[in-house]
Amino acid sequence: MPESSIVVRPEPAGTPSRRLQAAGLGHATAVFEQLAATVPLPPAPRPIVVADYGAATGYNSLLPIGAAIAAFRRRTRPDHAVLVTHTDLPDNDFTALFRTLADDPDSYTRKDAASFPSAIGRSFYAQILPSQSVNLAWTSWATMWLRRPAAELPEFDDHVHVEHSDDAAARQEYARRAAQDWQDFLAFRGRELAPGGKLLVLTAAVDAQGRSGYRPVLDAIVAVLDELVGEGFVSRDEVTRMTIPVLARSEKELRAPFAPAGRFEALTIERLDVFDAEDRFWDRYLLDGDAGALGAQWSAFTSAAVFPALAAALAGGAAGDPRAAEFVQRLEAGVAARLASSPQQVQIPLALVVLAKRVA
Ligand SMILES: C[S@@+](CC[C@H](N)C(=O)[O-])C[C@H]1O[C@@H](n2cnc3c(N)ncnc32)[C@H](O)[C@@H]1O
């Protein structure tokens, strides 16, 4: 079965979307560094193995992995090899990943001579690393992507995101699949982690009030799609098929595989925080009052993250449909204009989960 084929476009350093992707990363990086300070390490010359699941361009992994390597170095000789393996789907832009690792001033490869980057182009909904090989693992903003692409998920016609749909059957089916995906992701990581190994997951969450966030942005997308149907640029059938195959999870859903004994596949939850990440575009708007910039930044972020998934529902597909490029441009312009006309803070609920594998 094909996996979700969403690839976030690589972008030059400092673009708005990248800065927003970094939301929540400061907190998670500090936690990751603490894990690196205490996780069991193999004796040299066996390498310390660090995995990064769903790396995209690798940009947001540089600081957490760099911090972890610095913490290892307080416990190891400088020449104890650290093998870092960045994973993503096969059609990820691995060239952009390796360029980031080589060129970005924040890259751990520029700071630590005994760090060795590598990459794997396979879905993390399978075992992709040898059993008991990974000492420390990171995954940010990736496990909320469902295994199935939108075309294989149930249709609902009143929104682009199932959490905002009134179709109870579709919501239930998405939740069922998201539960299975989370369980599978955990099961395979449970095999890959070395005894005592730890995995930090940063992912979209549903908060204690049941909110999954992003409401103004998602509603703006729906409104612009309606306009595009009205203009005859896309058909209603195409828009009905447009779905963002992402699901935020509540604390209860994140804990479900561990019930009732608190253990799943030799893993336990060591820590679970649900928190709202700051909306940095909003913070800047409060300082400069520039509603146009607020709309443009949120629209650019959303475009990079999810518009390719929507374009995939055009009759000719994201790659083959002659309207695809204009579709993304018009959506981006329309969403930016709507958000600028009614500036609002966007809620970004995140979950940080630390999983620990039993010490053998
Ligand atoms: C929004 S990006 C996050 C990238 C980066 N970790 C960060 O924090 O910015 C999500 C990434 O997860 C990847 N992804 C989605 N489903 C995946 C899967 N089943 N296996 C591996 N990677 C996946 C996507 O291809 C994409 O590169």
Side-chain angles (χ1 to χ4, degrees):
M1 285 280 197
E3 305 283 349
S4 167
S5 61
I6 304 311
V7 176
V8 175
R9 290 199 304 257
E11 296 165 278
T15 58
S17 64
R18 285 177 145 207
R19 278 201 294 274
L20 188 79
Q21 286 258 297
L25 284 187
H27 172 47
T29 297
V31 174
F32 199 57
E33 187 174 2
Q34 288 163 15
L35 300 179
T38 53
V39 77
L41 300 180
R46 279 175 52 207
I48 300 163
V49 177
V50 177
D52 171 22
Y53 296 102
T57 64
Y59 176 78
N60 282 333
S61 315
L62 298 179
L63 293 179
I65 291 176
I69 294 175
F72 294 151
R73 290 296 171 234
R74 295 192 277 275
R75 312 167 56 197
T76 65
R77 290 166 48 115
D79 60 353
H80 189 160
V82 180
L83 175 67
V84 183
T85 180
H86 300 274
T87 85
D88 210 290
L89 291 169
D91 52 3
N92 182 52
D93 187 347
F94 284 100
T95 303
L97 170 78
F98 283 114
R99 292 236 162 91
T100 302
L101 293 171
D103 301 338
D104 195 291
D106 285 335
S107 175
Y108 61 87
T109 63
R110 297 166 75 105
K111 297 176 184 161
D112 192 285
S115 63
F116 297 91
S118 61
I120 294 178
R122 296 179 70 192
S123 168
F124 51 50
Y125 292 119
Q127 183 171 353
I128 54 175
L129 281 158
S131 297
Q132 314 218 20
S133 65
V134 177
N135 302 108
L136 186 63
W138 168 271
T139 180
S140 58
W141 290 81
T143 49
M144 65 253 219
W145 290 93
L146 299 180
R147 176 194 314 233
R148 303 281 169 240
E152 293 179 31
L153 291 165
E155 276 186 15
F156 53 96
D157 56 12
D158 54 343
H159 213 285
V160 283
H161 197 226
V162 76
E163 277 160 7
H164 300 292
S165 166
D166 287 331
D167 185 333
R171 283 205 316 271
Q172 210 175 1
E173 183 57 15
Y174 264 72
R176 190 185 69 75
R177 292 180 189 217
Q180 184 65 53
D181 287 354
W182 177 234
Q183 185 161 317
D184 289 350
F185 178 83
L186 292 171
F188 293 118
R189 302 303 77 79
R191 287 186 206 167
E192 293 168 355
L193 281 175
K198 304 227 168 139
L199 163 65
L200 185 152
V201 180
L202 185 67
T203 188
V206 176
D207 70 11
Q209 285 72 45
R211 294 172 303 197
S212 57
Y214 304 99
R215 188 84 215 205
V217 181
L218 293 168
D219 287 350
I221 294 174
V222 172
V224 176
L225 289 175
D226 279 344
E227 282 168 15
L228 294 180
V229 172
E231 292 166 24
F233 183 72
V234 291
S235 72
R236 178 55 64 192
D237 275 0
E238 288 175 314
V239 168
T240 299
R241 290 197 302 270
M242 287 181 189
T243 303
I244 302 171
V246 162
L247 211 66
R249 297 179 176 94
S250 64
E251 175 169 352
K252 189 171 166 214
E253 287 165 333
L254 290 165
R255 289 190 186 277
F258 299 85
R263 185 173 288 280
F264 177 70
E265 298 275 346
L267 296 176
T268 51
I269 296 183
E270 192 174 273
R271 173 174 188 159
L272 199 164
D273 312 331
V274 174
F275 61 101
D276 277 344
E278 60 179 327
D279 174 354
R280 294 172 188 204
F281 303 152
W282 176 254
D283 292 347
R284 192 181 312 164
Y285 167 72
L286 291 180
L287 290 176
D288 65 16
D290 187 344
L294 175 73
Q297 287 162 342
W298 262 110
S299 186
F301 164 70
T302 315
S303 179
V306 300
F307 288 1
L310 302 181
L314 292 172
D321 197 290
R323 296 163 299 165
E326 190 182 342
F327 170 75
V328 169
Q329 277 162 15
R330 292 180 73 168
L331 201 50
E332 203 169 312
V335 168
R338 279 186 174 264
L339 294 175
S341 70
S342 165
Q344 290 175 66
Q345 185 172 10
V346 175
Q347 191 203 2
I348 309 171
L350 290 177
L352 183 154
V353 191
V354 174
L355 300 150
K357 180 153 173 184
R358 189 175 48 213
V359 180

